[in-house]
Amino acid sequence: MDVHTRAIALLKKAYGATAEFREGQLDAITSVVKKNKTLVVQKTGWGKSSVYFIATKILRENGSGPSIIISPLLDLMQNQIDSANRFGLNVVTINSNNKDTWDESYSQLSLCDALIISPERLANDQFMEHLSGIKNIQLFVVDEAHSISDWGHDFRPDYQRIIKLLKFFPANISILATTATANNRVIEDIKNQLGNDVHILRGDLIRDNLAIQINPSQNREQRLAWLVQSLTSDNNLKDEQGIIYCLTQRDCETVADFLQQNNINAASYHSGLELKSSQERIDGFDKGNIKILVATIKLGMGYDKSNIRFVIHYQLPNNLISYYQQIGRAGRDGNKAFAVLLHGQEEEEILNFFIEDAQAKPELLQDILNHISYGCTHDELLSQINVTNSKLGEALKYLTVHDYIYKEKKKYLKNPTLNFDGAAEKENQLKVTQLRKDEFERLKNFISVKTCYMKFISDELDAPDKKTKCTICTNCINHYLINTEVHPDILKLASNYLHNKHGKITPRKQWRAGESIPEAERYQEGWVLTEDYYSEIGKLVQNGKYDHNFFSNDLVELSVDFLNRKVSDNSIDLIVPIPSLRRKTLVPRLAKSISEKLGLPYLNALDKIDQGAKQKMLKNSILQQDNIKKTVEVNTTDITGKKILLIDDMVDSKWSFTVIAAKLLNAGASAVYPYALVKTGPGN
């Protein structure tokens, strides 16, 4: 039986007698089975996974060993396994989410039809030893292949391990790379890395069943209100399953909570969730028990659920290519679906931060290399370099992938045979950063374009589309698909919600070195006036701190209203401000005003004995903890037996509250309750 005939038979067995291949799928399967290096660039929802699963089935029937499939989608690997099961394939996955079953999975490697792994597994010596034992591998798949390229919208250093690994495979192995989001520049880069003999199969990208609408600029209250109004009254969205994308974890929680409070079946989904909770929410969405997932880009590439009817962006995405990838979750069954883009004032600050922070700076890379001449552990580097824990991890990964360093037991050591070229690295990073900024500018142009939205995106991706328009977006039909006007009553609900979106300050339980903080030295759970840095209250705090060095009476009154009951319920009997040498009067004046309104004693019980570093400029817990320990002291015994409300303007890492509360409790205070006006830091 030839490849075409067998592929068609497998498709119909999996999807029914009337199933037909989409344009280009059969050509891709044939190319793979005939052992060509193949790059498939096709629209979201086209069915790239069907190509490599059918090709795997045919190769296995002809005596091939298991296929190796590289995918970055840890939480969604079960989604891919379910797709593979349609074709009667036995698929094994090994990733950081299923450590409990690794031994069983390793024992099945020689029997399985395909192995799905994340690129991070290629850094694991145990896995590589098992991989070397798999016989007769004839297909190696790189899913989301744009991640190989520096120029790709989602470049990942771990993908560079793939290129190194491919050098050790036989010349006759079939290599398939797939993506929906590669423009000419990315395609050329992938081609250079995989080899010039790559067979490129490229299709149209315009989705003529996905209707795009871009709302006018709206503040956060208006966007929340629009969501509730539209999800409960518009026939295009009401009772349908969909995804709402947010830029940050905190916004996911805010949007999901507001929807829930208005009787809309929604749940948040982001990398801050524990594994069990994360999997439960994906499973609930898959089965239709959860109607709406409010997600970060964690739910992006590769998620395949056919009947998602809408994708809404609460904020602008990183760029148009990411946007196309994300809206591609909708309408994969071919029926009409909707993509609505909301936007406001806060995105530019957030996205510019993401752009500038996307890469490990050459100066950081060189700093690490300077420190590890004689070997350093991860924590030793943190104590010596002002860098976040996650950014240090990224930098160490980059240096390891490119062989500048290696790890021996727990210590990183410098490779003496390679010299790091900081100038060349800096030049390359400047090019990438400028590209990201240019992409963001084109995204802003997209918002105001008057022509077809889909065609604009297609052109951004250098797609070969012959169509000049999708015919169903708001620009093509010349009117909004979903009403953008918000009813005043719903807007008032949203405003009240954000105005009263208070937060908690939970106590840290460990010092950074790993030892437990005794309960007698921990503060009690405290409070934040607002968790939303970009809310109206958040803006008041920012203006007061950075523009006027004075917090308004409005903030005092809001604080008093919020704290009145809490002070009474917890028998708090003293207010103490956290001191600063940079803004000496800012927090003490706030604390004193609050104490007068609440009728509580006020005491400057703390001295700032040294200016130290700005706490917000210190990037990791080791430096943050040490900075407070060395610069703040208790100056009185008048706190003995007191229950203290400890006031600061902003809270981020919680180390200021953690260290100072321990000092106050050791000096005789009976309890400490932290209070801040606004929460900053990761998630805003």
Side-chain angles (χ1 to χ4, degrees):
M1 189 180 294
D2 64 24
V3 174
H4 278 219
T5 304
R6 183 58 182 144
I8 291 169
L10 288 168
L11 179 75
K12 291 183 180 298
K13 185 177 180 181
Y15 290 102
T18 60
E20 294 182 356
F21 280 114
R22 295 187 174 107
E23 184 179 352
Q25 283 182 313
L26 198 50
D27 290 339
I29 292 166
T30 303
S31 178
V32 170
V33 174
K34 289 185 175 180
K35 304 297 181 63
N36 293 316
K37 287 181 183 175
T38 307
L39 172 60
V40 172
V41 183
Q42 291 283 0
K43 69 182 72 172
T44 53
W46 176 81
K48 292 177 282 293
S49 62
S50 292
V51 169
Y52 51 74
F53 287 138
I54 291 177
T56 292
K57 185 73 172 179
I58 295 172
L59 288 170
R60 288 288 281 162
E61 290 173 348
N62 286 278
S64 166
S67 297
I68 308 299
I69 301 168
I70 306 290
S71 171
L73 314 164
L74 293 186
D75 280 8
L76 307 179
M77 284 184 181
Q78 187 58 49
N79 195 247
Q80 290 186 306
I81 291 171
D82 293 342
S83 297
N85 289 341
R86 285 179 174 269
F87 300 103
L89 293 171
N90 173 28
V91 177
V92 169
T93 178
I94 297 172
N95 60 69
S96 57
N97 286 352
N98 65 354
K99 292 180 181 178
D100 293 343
T101 62
W102 278 5
D103 289 341
E104 180 185 351
S105 297
Y106 283 135
S107 69
Q108 297 176 19
L109 290 186
S110 60
L111 303 173
C112 71
D113 297 307
L115 170 64
I116 302 179
I117 59 167
S118 68
E120 288 80 6
R121 283 300 93 206
L122 301 179
N124 184 281
D125 291 338
Q126 182 190 17
F127 171 77
M128 293 304 292
E129 185 178 335
H130 283 283
L131 182 63
S132 65
I134 301 177
K135 306 299 182 186
N136 197 26
I137 295 171
Q138 292 188 29
L139 174 56
F140 191 92
V141 179
V142 183
D143 201 6
E144 311 300 350
H146 58 271
S147 299
I148 289 175
S149 172
D150 281 343
W151 312 109
H153 73 94
D154 190 43
F155 170 69
R156 302 187 184 199
D158 279 301
Y159 265 73
Q160 296 296 303
R161 302 183 197 276
I162 297 169
I163 304 304
K164 292 160 72 173
L165 178 65
L166 291 177
K167 296 175 183 176
F168 295 96
F169 281 112
N172 67 339
I173 190 173
S174 182
I175 297 170
L176 170 64
T178 69
T179 180
T181 49
N183 57 19
N184 289 342
R185 187 172 195 171
V186 173
I187 289 172
E188 194 61 32
D189 195 11
I190 294 171
K191 185 177 174 182
N192 289 339
Q193 296 194 56
L194 294 181
N196 287 325
D197 55 341
V198 172
H199 181 42
I200 299 173
L201 295 172
R202 196 171 188 185
D204 294 346
L205 294 185
I206 288 179
R207 294 275 306 276
D208 57 10
N209 70 317
L210 185 53
I212 297 175
Q213 169 172 312
I214 300 178
N215 280 17
S217 180
Q218 297 166 303
N219 63 28
R220 293 163 87 80
E221 290 88 345
Q222 289 169 327
R223 277 174 278 162
L224 285 177
W226 182 89
L227 285 171
V228 166
Q229 174 177 289
S230 303
L231 293 171
T232 54
S233 63
D234 190 278
N235 290 331
N236 294 313
L237 308 181
K238 185 181 179 183
D239 299 324
E240 299 287 357
Q241 277 198 283
I243 300 169
I244 300 172
Y245 280 108
C246 299
L247 286 175
T248 70
Q249 295 178 18
R250 196 171 299 160
D251 281 324
C252 287
E253 294 295 338
T254 295
V255 172
D257 183 56
F258 185 64
L259 296 182
Q260 290 162 9
Q261 289 194 23
N262 286 276
N263 301 312
I264 296 171
N265 183 357
S268 62
Y269 183 80
H270 51 74
S271 56
L273 298 172
E274 293 183 356
L275 176 60
K276 181 181 178 183
S277 179
S278 182
Q279 196 57 57
E280 286 174 351
R281 294 180 190 193
I282 275 290
D283 291 344
F285 190 62
D286 285 341
K287 295 171 183 174
N289 299 327
I290 294 173
K291 285 292 184 183
I292 298 167
L293 279 183
V294 186
T296 60
I297 56 172
K298 178 181 172 70
L299 185 69
M301 298 181 296
Y303 182 67
D304 188 10
K305 179 174 168 60
S306 64
N307 63 341
I308 294 173
R309 295 270 64 85
F310 64 85
V311 168
I312 298 170
H313 281 75
Y314 180 67
Q315 295 142 322
L316 293 179
N318 291 346
N319 50 54
L320 269 176
I321 303 173
S322 297
Y323 181 65
Y324 180 75
Q325 181 76 260
Q326 290 156 18
I327 64 175
R329 302 313 102 202
R332 295 168 85 91
D333 56 5
N335 296 323
K336 189 174 183 179
F338 298 86
V340 185
L341 178 58
L342 312 182
H343 57 104
Q345 296 178 337
E346 77 274 12
E347 298 108 324
E348 188 146 356
E349 180 180 341
I350 296 172
L351 289 169
N352 279 328
F353 172 79
F354 287 166
I355 290 170
E356 293 293 342
D357 195 54
Q359 303 173 87
K361 300 290 186 251
E363 295 81 5
L364 170 59
L365 300 175
Q366 188 63 65
D367 207 3
I368 292 169
L369 291 169
N370 292 341
H371 277 87
I372 65 171
S373 297
Y374 301 102
C376 266
T377 66
H378 184 99
D379 277 6
E380 286 171 344
L381 287 168
L382 275 180
S383 68
Q384 299 171 57
I385 302 174
N386 186 22
V387 61
T388 63
N389 189 44
S390 61
K391 186 58 67 178
L392 177 61
E394 289 175 19
L396 290 170
K397 179 185 291 185
Y398 182 91
L399 291 169
T400 302
V401 167
H402 290 85
D403 296 323
Y404 292 115
I405 64 175
Y406 62 96
K407 194 172 184 181
E408 201 169 86
K409 295 183 179 178
K410 291 187 176 182
K411 292 206 168 189
Y412 290 93
L413 295 153
K414 190 175 179 181
N415 182 351
T417 64
L418 277 183
N419 290 319
F420 176 72
D421 188 342
E425 182 67 31
K426 186 170 186 176
E427 183 180 354
N428 184 63
Q429 288 198 11
L430 288 172
K431 289 179 182 177
V432 174
T433 299
Q434 188 57 52
L435 174 69
R436 297 287 175 259
K437 290 180 177 179
D438 292 344
E439 288 173 345
F440 184 48
E441 288 303 312
R442 289 197 290 279
L443 175 65
K444 290 194 287 186
N445 292 338
F446 173 68
I447 294 171
S448 58
V449 72
K450 303 301 181 186
T451 55
C452 174
Y453 289 130
M454 266 291 176
K455 178 60 176 169
F456 191 97
I457 297 171
S458 172
D459 290 344
E460 175 75 1
L461 280 158
D462 302 319
D465 288 270
K466 296 180 180 63
K467 293 180 181 177
T468 58
K469 57 183 180 179
C470 69
T471 73
I472 59 171
C473 73
T474 55
N475 281 348
C476 284
I477 64 175
N478 203 31
H479 64 79
Y480 283 119
L481 299 153
I482 300 161
N483 181 23
T484 63
E485 297 295 323
V486 178
H487 193 281
D489 290 346
I490 304 177
L491 182 60
K492 187 175 180 181
L493 274 177
S495 297
N496 288 339
Y497 172 79
L498 287 180
H499 197 73
N500 293 289
K501 185 167 173 47
H502 309 303
K504 296 176 181 178
I505 306 175
T506 55
R508 284 185 173 272
K509 295 182 179 180
Q510 282 193 322
W511 296 116
R512 185 55 188 85
E515 68 270 22
S516 175
I517 301 175
E519 280 197 40
E521 295 181 10
R522 294 181 204 165
Y523 59 74
Q524 305 299 306
E525 184 174 271
W527 313 284
V528 182
L529 182 60
T530 180
E531 284 196 322
D532 193 340
Y533 187 74
Y534 297 101
S535 66
E536 293 304 314
I537 295 176
K539 290 174 188 174
L540 279 177
V541 179
Q542 294 172 61
N543 291 337
K545 180 167 184 173
Y546 300 119
D547 297 335
H548 307 301
N549 194 33
F550 178 82
F551 291 126
S552 66
N553 287 334
D554 287 343
L555 284 172
V556 174
E557 293 294 343
L558 286 167
S559 294
V560 170
D561 289 344
F562 176 48
L563 290 169
N564 203 4
R565 181 69 180 269
K566 300 183 185 310
V567 164
S568 174
D569 287 349
N570 293 285
S571 302
I572 292 171
D573 50 16
L574 182 64
I575 290 181
V576 173
I578 289 182
S580 169
L581 293 179
R582 292 182 177 85
R583 295 182 176 88
K584 292 183 179 180
T585 62
L586 183 65
V587 174
R589 187 183 293 170
L590 170 72
K592 190 166 183 58
S593 297
I594 291 172
S595 74
E596 290 170 354
K597 296 277 186 182
L598 290 173
L600 289 176
Y602 166 86
L603 183 64
N604 281 313
L606 301 164
D607 285 334
K608 187 78 169 175
I609 58 175
D610 185 82
Q611 184 162 284
K614 287 184 179 180
Q615 193 73 353
K616 71 175 183 178
M617 300 305 293
L618 298 175
K619 306 296 186 183
N620 67 68
S621 292
I622 290 177
L623 299 180
Q624 289 165 344
Q625 177 184 311
D626 288 348
N627 187 53
I628 294 297
K629 275 189 174 180
K630 293 173 182 176
T631 60
V632 176
E633 293 291 351
V634 179
N635 63 21
T636 179
T637 59
D638 293 344
I639 60 171
T640 302
K642 299 293 186 182
K643 291 185 175 180
I644 295 172
L645 182 68
L646 182 62
I647 294 182
D648 206 353
D649 49 9
M650 298 180 176
V651 58
D652 180 353
S653 68
K654 302 189 289 190
W655 279 117
S656 292
F657 282 131
T658 300
V659 173
I660 292 172
K663 288 177 179 280
L664 289 168
L665 290 163
N666 283 326
S670 64
V672 175
Y673 296 83
Y675 173 70
L677 296 175
V678 67
K679 188 170 186 178
T680 63
N684 264 317

